[in-house]
Amino acid sequence: MTAQSSKTVLSLDSEAVFSLKDGINFKKSPDDGKCYIIYKENGELKACKNQCKHQGGLFIKDIEDLDGRTVQCTKHYWKLNVSTMQYVNPPDSFTQDELDVVMTDEGGLQLVEVIVWDPWLADPQDPQELQEGEVTVTYLTHACMELQLGGKKMIFDPWLTGPAFARGWWLLHEPPADSMERLCMADLIYISHMHSDHLSYPTLKSLSATRPDVPIYVGDTSRPVFWMLEKRQVKLTNINVVPFGIWQNIDEHLRFMILKDEVHPELDTCIIVEYKGHMILNTVDCTRPNYGRLPHNVDLMMSDFAGGASGFPMTFSGGKYTESWKADFIKNERKKLMNYKTQLVKSLQPKIYCPFAGYFVEAHPSDRYIKETNTKNKAEELNALIKKSAPGITTWTPKPGAVLDLALALMSPSRKAITDPPSGTNIYKDSWDFDLYVDELNRAITAEMFKHKSWIQFYYIWAGFKNYNLVVRVIETDEDFIPIANGYNYLVDFMDLSFPTQRPTREHPYEEIKNRIGVMRHVVKNGLLWDDLYIGFQNRLSREPDVYHHQFWNHFQTELPVTGPDWDLFLQQVPSYQRSAEPQGIQTESVSASTFLEKADCTVS
């Protein structure tokens, strides 16, 4: 359904319109305190919300802009040219949504927002009385919740075993001992997106051995959630891709609706579950789901809260990236996120709020620096802020195995609606099976294709990113990001997809990326997205100038071909391939992996 409505978000009288200066004008609504930007040039007006499209930060005047056309986000320093509504840092990324500027007969103006119809209002259901025990929500770990909805069991985002993002993330909370059994008994499973802390192939491999036909539901994202299913050799036979904004009826009382994220439509989704007219909203990791419009007064809302799900700025060096700058930036970012989540929850007014999807830890000993630097928000502190700002909202800080009874929670906030796990239950994990998963990654080091330096050209041609003025140096390193003797160290010029021995003489941006050899080769061999490297903290980066290249990173993190490189074909053709298309500038022909593998104490088969 495409029904729309419009809403006047700001009104100015004729005097205020007359006082608008040429260039950028910041205005705040006296009604709700929301902020807007009006740009004036040659008597023409443009307007937009004062909200960065990346992660919702507030814009301020860009002091480096002498033309008076650019504003800068206070969150990640993205820059918007308000005269064109195009983001200029990062270049070639987003376009800002404009508001309609309507002039009144009296010489005033109105800023009008076009509002897309709220799809959950289709076929509204009146809430029915719930019985004790009829609807329960059990927290298992990270973003994994089990919902008992009458006679059906539904599970969100099961990550119950193994690491995420190669080897960079590990579970902070110990899942209940029967979590895998619970998963195998589920009537339906929702997986929000393809990131491996939500789509966990080690978990799904165990599930497929017992229940390959369990119904799994995902949104119809532009990049399929299960694009790696065949490569991972996980046999699941009942995956259902559903359209956005349409109720999916499970039985007489239970239905759900998946919504897409506006900022990352190729990736993120969120879900509304409704049982007997009672709504549960799970926004997961979405930045701006459903154009920022979400249902109000739901019975239970859950969302991420922790921050730290990025390599920035911990993995960066050079220029401003001193340890003190990083510490200040991270502190401020976490504070901004806490305030944003507090205001979001306050504006939506759910009856109950639960922060989740942030319980991970950089547990591997080689990532001690990241663990110490990448401080995260605490759920208890966010809930305290929410209670102070909106005391009528009940908050829940979950522990593994804790159960919320929705009927009891709705009857009276003072009633015991939450059952915590028994005393003595192990809440935090204290051991992880590092060797099993790290050894698996490191097996890629001695793969046959890496004995031939022309794999580099073959891989980047397969990747398909070019015609972009960026030169990247990629360096293979050990665990401590020290370049490996005889490891690959090469340049890629993405302007013409060449591999020069030296940086070109033309003016060009430059990035240097040091990657742990095992993870990089695993990613290359299997045609995986570079999230394993970047979000998984498996590389170290420097760049000049200090500009985020959205097109480059977006391509390697979300837009690589869904079919991996054909290495069998490469190995068949490698003699002629090397003669006719040998890339230049590779310092070594192949890596001698034995020394690194001995140091890493890995067995390679």
Side-chain angles (χ1 to χ4, degrees):
M1 189 175 295
T2 58
Q4 296 180 340
S5 61
S6 60
K7 174 185 177 183
T8 299
V9 295
L10 179 70
S11 296
L12 298 181
D13 60 24
S14 58
E15 184 178 349
V17 172
F18 181 77
S19 67
L20 291 173
K21 66 180 187 296
D22 286 344
I24 295 167
N25 299 266
F26 294 96
K27 295 294 180 181
K28 178 184 286 189
S29 169
D31 298 323
D32 58 14
K34 292 183 178 179
C35 299
Y36 302 91
I37 301 172
I38 300 174
Y39 180 79
K40 181 179 179 182
E41 185 175 20
N42 298 325
E44 299 293 325
L45 299 174
K46 287 187 173 183
C48 65
K49 290 184 177 180
N50 188 345
Q51 184 179 54
C52 182
K53 203 167 184 178
H54 177 221
Q55 288 192 358
L58 195 70
F59 287 113
I60 59 173
K61 182 176 174 56
D62 178 14
I63 59 174
E64 298 176 347
D65 173 37
L66 301 180
D67 296 326
R69 295 188 176 97
T70 305
V71 292
Q72 184 179 59
C73 178
T74 56
K75 193 165 188 181
H76 290 113
Y77 311 114
W78 284 36
K79 293 186 178 184
L80 170 68
N81 184 328
V82 190
S83 70
T84 62
M85 295 296 173
Q86 298 292 319
Y87 284 80
V88 293
N89 182 17
D92 307 309
S93 52
F94 297 128
T95 299
Q96 187 79 344
D97 297 326
E98 287 192 56
L99 300 170
D100 291 336
V101 180
V102 179
M103 304 304 297
T104 67
D105 294 339
E106 295 79 20
L109 69 73
Q110 295 177 335
L111 300 188
V112 178
E113 179 183 13
V114 176
I115 299 172
V116 179
W117 177 79
D118 297 330
W120 55 86
L121 298 179
D123 187 23
Q125 305 290 316
D126 292 329
Q128 301 178 37
E129 184 177 350
L130 298 176
Q131 301 302 311
E132 183 177 344
E134 188 174 3
V135 176
T136 61
V137 181
T138 303
Y139 171 70
L140 300 181
T141 189
H142 190 57
C144 186
M145 289 279 193
E146 179 193 60
L147 281 63
Q148 178 73 50
L149 302 152
K152 301 291 186 183
K153 287 184 183 290
M154 183 177 192
I155 287 186
F156 295 156
D157 287 335
W159 172 28
L160 301 175
T161 188
F165 299 110
R167 41 174 283 192
W169 293 28
W170 304 81
L171 287 169
L172 175 66
H173 284 159
E174 184 72 60
D178 64 346
S179 291
M180 191 61 69
E181 181 181 346
R182 290 170 181 256
L183 179 62
C184 293
M185 294 175 62
D187 294 291
L188 64 158
I189 297 169
Y190 162 67
I191 294 179
S192 61
H193 61 291
M194 63 185 175
H195 280 166
S196 50
D197 59 321
H198 300 263
L199 174 62
S200 167
Y201 278 107
T203 302
L204 295 180
K205 187 174 183 179
S206 297
L207 170 66
S208 67
T210 304
R211 285 278 312 280
D213 61 344
V214 61
I216 298 176
Y217 293 88
V218 297
D220 190 13
T221 49
S222 57
R223 188 179 190 91
V225 173
F226 278 97
W227 69 281
M228 282 294 294
L229 185 65
E230 183 176 347
K231 184 78 173 180
R232 295 285 190 168
Q233 298 182 328
V234 174
K235 300 186 183 301
L236 296 170
T237 60
N238 196 358
I239 296 172
N240 303 272
V241 180
V242 301
F244 293 116
I246 303 294
W247 283 118
Q248 307 297 317
N249 296 304
I250 301 302
D251 61 25
E252 179 185 1
H253 300 299
L254 174 61
R255 60 184 183 174
F256 69 86
M257 174 183 292
I258 298 178
L259 302 173
K260 71 176 176 180
D261 185 46
E262 179 191 0
V263 175
H264 298 291
E266 78 289 343
L267 176 68
D268 280 332
T269 74
C270 70
I271 190 169
I272 302 169
V273 178
E274 186 178 72
Y275 176 80
K276 288 188 175 180
H278 295 274
M279 283 191 180
I280 296 173
L281 170 64
N282 174 11
T283 64
V284 206
D285 292 350
C286 284
T287 302
R288 196 163 182 253
N290 195 51
Y291 302 93
R293 294 186 60 80
L294 292 169
H296 289 62
N297 307 119
V298 299
D299 294 279
L300 170 63
M301 175 185 174
M302 52 189 82
S303 78
D304 65 339
F305 71 97
S310 167
F312 186 84
M314 295 80 64
T315 59
F316 284 69
S317 63
K320 69 185 179 186
Y321 296 106
T322 64
E323 293 307 308
S324 60
W325 187 93
K326 292 180 185 180
D328 289 342
F329 179 87
I330 292 168
K331 181 180 178 180
N332 290 333
E333 282 297 292
R334 302 299 178 264
K335 183 178 180 181
K336 291 174 188 176
L337 180 60
M338 291 272 275
N339 291 334
Y340 169 72
K341 291 296 180 181
T342 299
Q343 292 305 312
L344 177 64
V345 174
K346 181 180 179 181
S347 68
L348 294 178
Q349 285 292 306
K351 297 179 178 67
I352 306 161
Y353 172 73
C354 174
F356 82 147
Y359 299 106
F360 70 94
V361 62
E362 304 87 345
H364 194 277
S366 65
D367 289 324
R368 180 179 176 182
Y369 166 77
I370 298 293
K371 180 181 177 181
E372 293 176 349
T373 307
N374 190 26
T375 56
K376 304 173 188 69
N377 290 329
K378 291 180 170 55
E380 299 88 343
E381 294 178 1
L382 173 58
N383 281 341
L385 276 178
I386 291 170
K387 290 297 292 183
K388 182 178 180 180
S389 177
I393 298 174
T394 300
T395 59
W396 175 28
T397 303
K399 300 176 183 178
V403 181
L404 169 72
D405 188 311
L406 191 59
L408 294 180
L410 297 178
M411 287 178 190
S412 171
S414 62
R415 296 194 61 174
K416 180 66 173 175
I418 298 171
T419 303
D420 283 327
S423 177
T425 298
N426 190 18
I427 302 299
Y428 297 100
K429 287 186 71 70
D430 53 18
S431 65
W432 298 265
D433 198 353
F434 295 135
D435 291 345
L436 174 65
Y437 297 99
V438 175
D439 289 358
E440 179 183 352
L441 295 169
N442 285 339
R443 289 189 184 99
I445 295 174
T446 55
E448 185 68 20
M449 72 281 295
F450 298 117
K451 297 177 182 178
H452 311 279
K453 60 185 178 182
S454 51
W455 73 263
I456 297 168
Q457 187 178 36
F458 186 86
Y459 173 75
Y460 286 99
I461 289 174
W462 163 84
F465 184 74
K466 59 183 179 179
N467 300 323
Y468 187 83
N469 186 24
L470 176 66
V471 177
V472 174
R473 179 175 291 281
V474 182
I475 303 171
E476 294 183 328
T477 76
D478 64 9
E479 293 285 277
D480 299 318
F481 299 101
I482 298 173
I484 293 178
N486 298 324
Y488 285 106
N489 180 334
Y490 56 90
L491 289 168
V492 185
D493 186 343
F494 287 102
M495 178 64 83
D496 56 3
L497 202 53
S498 61
F499 304 85
T501 56
Q502 296 179 331
R503 290 172 58 178
T505 56
R506 74 172 192 277
E507 186 175 341
H508 63 275
Y510 172 77
E511 292 205 19
E512 181 177 282
I513 306 175
K514 296 178 179 179
N515 297 308
R516 283 177 173 156
I517 184 173
V519 180
M520 182 60 183
R521 293 198 178 187
H522 177 78
V523 166
V524 167
K525 177 186 174 185
N526 294 288
L528 303 180
L529 300 172
W530 284 23
D531 281 340
D532 282 351
L533 294 161
Y534 184 67
I535 300 180
F537 316 113
Q538 299 303 300
N539 56 20
R540 296 295 183 266
L541 304 101
S542 60
R543 58 196 185 189
E544 52 181 76
D546 184 23
V547 173
Y548 173 60
H549 291 277
H550 173 81
Q551 281 199 27
F552 170 75
W553 284 105
N554 188 62
H555 185 90
F556 281 91
Q557 288 184 281
T558 68
E559 294 182 356
L560 289 176
V562 295
T563 302
D566 189 342
W567 294 116
D568 290 336
L569 177 64
F570 167 75
L571 292 172
Q572 291 171 16
Q573 298 179 347
V574 70
S576 59
Y577 195 94
Q578 285 184 315
R579 285 195 300 270
S580 63
E582 193 72 16
Q584 302 299 310
I586 312 304
Q587 291 187 358
T588 58
E589 187 164 313
S590 64
V591 69
S592 177
S594 57
T595 302
F596 173 78
L597 291 173
E598 289 172 6
K599 181 179 178 182
D601 193 23
C602 298
T603 302
V604 179
S605 58

PDB file of all heavy atoms in Angstrom, residues 114-128:
ATOM      1  N   VAL A 114       6.229  14.804   3.835  1.00  0.00           N
ATOM      2  CA  VAL A 114       5.357  13.768   3.283  1.00  0.00           C
ATOM      3  C   VAL A 114       5.561  12.499   4.097  1.00  0.00           C
ATOM      4  O   VAL A 114       6.683  12.022   4.271  1.00  0.00           O
ATOM      5  CB  VAL A 114       5.666  13.512   1.798  1.00  0.00           C
ATOM      6  CG1 VAL A 114       4.826  12.363   1.263  1.00  0.00           C
ATOM      7  CG2 VAL A 114       5.418  14.780   0.986  1.00  0.00           C
ATOM      8  N   ILE A 115       4.484  11.975   4.629  1.00  0.00           N
ATOM      9  CA  ILE A 115       4.550  10.828   5.533  1.00  0.00           C
ATOM     10  C   ILE A 115       3.984   9.600   4.829  1.00  0.00           C
ATOM     11  O   ILE A 115       2.852   9.610   4.345  1.00  0.00           O
ATOM     12  CB  ILE A 115       3.771  11.097   6.833  1.00  0.00           C
ATOM     13  CG1 ILE A 115       4.388  12.309   7.559  1.00  0.00           C
ATOM     14  CG2 ILE A 115       3.772   9.873   7.726  1.00  0.00           C
ATOM     15  CD1 ILE A 115       3.583  12.778   8.733  1.00  0.00           C
ATOM     16  N   VAL A 116       4.814   8.573   4.729  1.00  0.00           N
ATOM     17  CA  VAL A 116       4.357   7.311   4.158  1.00  0.00           C
ATOM     18  C   VAL A 116       3.436   6.626   5.155  1.00  0.00           C
ATOM     19  O   VAL A 116       3.657   6.646   6.360  1.00  0.00           O
ATOM     20  CB  VAL A 116       5.560   6.414   3.814  1.00  0.00           C
ATOM     21  CG1 VAL A 116       5.094   5.081   3.238  1.00  0.00           C
ATOM     22  CG2 VAL A 116       6.483   7.116   2.837  1.00  0.00           C
ATOM     23  N   TRP A 117       2.417   6.021   4.644  1.00  0.00           N
ATOM     24  CA  TRP A 117       1.419   5.340   5.481  1.00  0.00           C
ATOM     25  C   TRP A 117       2.072   4.294   6.369  1.00  0.00           C
ATOM     26  O   TRP A 117       2.985   3.579   5.968  1.00  0.00           O
ATOM     27  CB  TRP A 117       0.393   4.694   4.553  1.00  0.00           C
ATOM     28  CG  TRP A 117      -0.659   3.895   5.247  1.00  0.00           C
ATOM     29  CD1 TRP A 117      -1.755   4.376   5.881  1.00  0.00           C
ATOM     30  CD2 TRP A 117      -0.730   2.477   5.345  1.00  0.00           C
ATOM     31  NE1 TRP A 117      -2.506   3.350   6.377  1.00  0.00           N
ATOM     32  CE2 TRP A 117      -1.901   2.165   6.050  1.00  0.00           C
ATOM     33  CE3 TRP A 117       0.077   1.437   4.898  1.00  0.00           C
ATOM     34  CZ2 TRP A 117      -2.283   0.853   6.333  1.00  0.00           C
ATOM     35  CZ3 TRP A 117      -0.292   0.136   5.174  1.00  0.00           C
ATOM     36  CH2 TRP A 117      -1.458  -0.134   5.886  1.00  0.00           C
ATOM     37  N   ASP A 118       1.638   4.196   7.615  1.00  0.00           N
ATOM     38  CA  ASP A 118       2.188   3.237   8.568  1.00  0.00           C
ATOM     39  C   ASP A 118       1.583   1.852   8.318  1.00  0.00           C
ATOM     40  O   ASP A 118       0.396   1.631   8.590  1.00  0.00           O
ATOM     41  CB  ASP A 118       1.888   3.686   9.998  1.00  0.00           C
ATOM     42  CG  ASP A 118       2.558   5.015  10.319  1.00  0.00           C
ATOM     43  OD1 ASP A 118       3.626   5.283   9.750  1.00  0.00           O
ATOM     44  OD2 ASP A 118       2.010   5.777  11.136  1.00  0.00           O
ATOM     45  N   PRO A 119       2.349   0.900   7.825  1.00  0.00           N
ATOM     46  CA  PRO A 119       1.760  -0.361   7.367  1.00  0.00           C
ATOM     47  C   PRO A 119       1.151  -1.214   8.468  1.00  0.00           C
ATOM     48  O   PRO A 119       0.268  -2.029   8.192  1.00  0.00           O
ATOM     49  CB  PRO A 119       2.949  -1.079   6.708  1.00  0.00           C
ATOM     50  CG  PRO A 119       4.167  -0.464   7.314  1.00  0.00           C
ATOM     51  CD  PRO A 119       3.805   0.954   7.590  1.00  0.00           C
ATOM     52  N   TRP A 120       1.610  -1.043   9.710  1.00  0.00           N
ATOM     53  CA  TRP A 120       1.068  -1.870  10.790  1.00  0.00           C
ATOM     54  C   TRP A 120      -0.379  -1.499  11.138  1.00  0.00           C
ATOM     55  O   TRP A 120      -1.042  -2.214  11.884  1.00  0.00           O
ATOM     56  CB  TRP A 120       1.946  -1.774  12.034  1.00  0.00           C
ATOM     57  CG  TRP A 120       2.168  -0.367  12.503  1.00  0.00           C
ATOM     58  CD1 TRP A 120       1.376   0.368  13.337  1.00  0.00           C
ATOM     59  CD2 TRP A 120       3.260   0.491  12.135  1.00  0.00           C
ATOM     60  NE1 TRP A 120       1.896   1.628  13.515  1.00  0.00           N
ATOM     61  CE2 TRP A 120       3.052   1.729  12.803  1.00  0.00           C
ATOM     62  CE3 TRP A 120       4.372   0.344  11.339  1.00  0.00           C
ATOM     63  CZ2 TRP A 120       3.939   2.791  12.665  1.00  0.00           C
ATOM     64  CZ3 TRP A 120       5.260   1.396  11.209  1.00  0.00           C
ATOM     65  CH2 TRP A 120       5.033   2.598  11.861  1.00  0.00           C
ATOM     66  N   LEU A 121      -0.856  -0.377  10.573  1.00  0.00           N
ATOM     67  CA  LEU A 121      -2.241   0.023  10.829  1.00  0.00           C
ATOM     68  C   LEU A 121      -3.236  -0.752   9.963  1.00  0.00           C
ATOM     69  O   LEU A 121      -4.449  -0.608  10.146  1.00  0.00           O
ATOM     70  CB  LEU A 121      -2.402   1.519  10.585  1.00  0.00           C
ATOM     71  CG  LEU A 121      -1.577   2.447  11.493  1.00  0.00           C
ATOM     72  CD1 LEU A 121      -1.810   3.896  11.122  1.00  0.00           C
ATOM     73  CD2 LEU A 121      -1.915   2.198  12.961  1.00  0.00           C
ATOM     74  N   ALA A 122      -2.734  -1.532   9.034  1.00  0.00           N
ATOM     75  CA  ALA A 122      -3.626  -2.366   8.214  1.00  0.00           C
ATOM     76  C   ALA A 122      -4.271  -3.436   9.087  1.00  0.00           C
ATOM     77  O   ALA A 122      -3.584  -4.113   9.867  1.00  0.00           O
ATOM     78  CB  ALA A 122      -2.833  -3.018   7.076  1.00  0.00           C
ATOM     79  N   ASP A 123      -5.568  -3.577   8.971  1.00  0.00           N
ATOM     80  CA  ASP A 123      -6.312  -4.601   9.706  1.00  0.00           C
ATOM     81  C   ASP A 123      -5.997  -4.544  11.201  1.00  0.00           C
ATOM     82  O   ASP A 123      -5.491  -5.493  11.790  1.00  0.00           O
ATOM     83  CB  ASP A 123      -5.983  -5.984   9.150  1.00  0.00           C
ATOM     84  CG  ASP A 123      -6.865  -7.074   9.762  1.00  0.00           C
ATOM     85  OD1 ASP A 123      -7.969  -6.750  10.247  1.00  0.00           O
ATOM     86  OD2 ASP A 123      -6.426  -8.242   9.769  1.00  0.00           O
ATOM     87  N   PRO A 124      -6.288  -3.421  11.852  1.00  0.00           N
ATOM     88  CA  PRO A 124      -5.945  -3.283  13.279  1.00  0.00           C
ATOM     89  C   PRO A 124      -6.704  -4.282  14.150  1.00  0.00           C
ATOM     90  O   PRO A 124      -7.849  -4.627  13.881  1.00  0.00           O
ATOM     91  CB  PRO A 124      -6.354  -1.837  13.598  1.00  0.00           C
ATOM     92  CG  PRO A 124      -7.388  -1.500  12.576  1.00  0.00           C
ATOM     93  CD  PRO A 124      -7.002  -2.240  11.333  1.00  0.00           C
ATOM     94  N   GLN A 125      -6.015  -4.751  15.196  1.00  0.00           N
ATOM     95  CA  GLN A 125      -6.583  -5.720  16.132  1.00  0.00           C
ATOM     96  C   GLN A 125      -6.685  -5.081  17.517  1.00  0.00           C
ATOM     97  O   GLN A 125      -5.710  -4.505  18.006  1.00  0.00           O
ATOM     98  CB  GLN A 125      -5.705  -6.973  16.210  1.00  0.00           C
ATOM     99  CG  GLN A 125      -5.447  -7.642  14.867  1.00  0.00           C
ATOM    100  CD  GLN A 125      -6.685  -8.310  14.304  1.00  0.00           C
ATOM    101  OE1 GLN A 125      -7.419  -8.987  15.026  1.00  0.00           O
ATOM    102  NE2 GLN A 125      -6.933  -8.116  13.016  1.00  0.00           N
ATOM    103  N   ASP A 126      -7.831  -5.199  18.149  1.00  0.00           N
ATOM    104  CA  ASP A 126      -7.979  -4.714  19.519  1.00  0.00           C
ATOM    105  C   ASP A 126      -7.283  -5.676  20.478  1.00  0.00           C
ATOM    106  O   ASP A 126      -7.410  -6.902  20.345  1.00  0.00           O
ATOM    107  CB  ASP A 126      -9.459  -4.603  19.895  1.00  0.00           C
ATOM    108  CG  ASP A 126     -10.167  -3.508  19.117  1.00  0.00           C
ATOM    109  OD1 ASP A 126      -9.506  -2.506  18.783  1.00  0.00           O
ATOM    110  OD2 ASP A 126     -11.377  -3.665  18.829  1.00  0.00           O
ATOM    111  N   PRO A 127      -6.532  -5.145  21.455  1.00  0.00           N
ATOM    112  CA  PRO A 127      -5.858  -6.024  22.410  1.00  0.00           C
ATOM    113  C   PRO A 127      -6.857  -6.852  23.217  1.00  0.00           C
ATOM    114  O   PRO A 127      -7.872  -6.339  23.691  1.00  0.00           O
ATOM    115  CB  PRO A 127      -5.096  -5.046  23.311  1.00  0.00           C
ATOM    116  CG  PRO A 127      -4.980  -3.789  22.511  1.00  0.00           C
ATOM    117  CD  PRO A 127      -6.211  -3.725  21.678  1.00  0.00           C
ATOM    118  N   GLN A 128      -6.559  -8.136  23.359  1.00  0.00           N
ATOM    119  CA  GLN A 128      -7.360  -9.026  24.184  1.00  0.00           C
ATOM    120  C   GLN A 128      -6.618  -9.287  25.496  1.00  0.00           C
ATOM    121  O   GLN A 128      -5.393  -9.134  25.580  1.00  0.00           O
ATOM    122  CB  GLN A 128      -7.603 -10.355  23.460  1.00  0.00           C
ATOM    123  CG  GLN A 128      -8.328 -10.218  22.124  1.00  0.00           C
ATOM    124  CD  GLN A 128      -8.498 -11.551  21.431  1.00  0.00           C
ATOM    125  OE1 GLN A 128      -8.738 -12.577  22.076  1.00  0.00           O
ATOM    126  NE2 GLN A 128      -8.375 -11.555  20.108  1.00  0.00           N
TER     127      GLN A 128
END
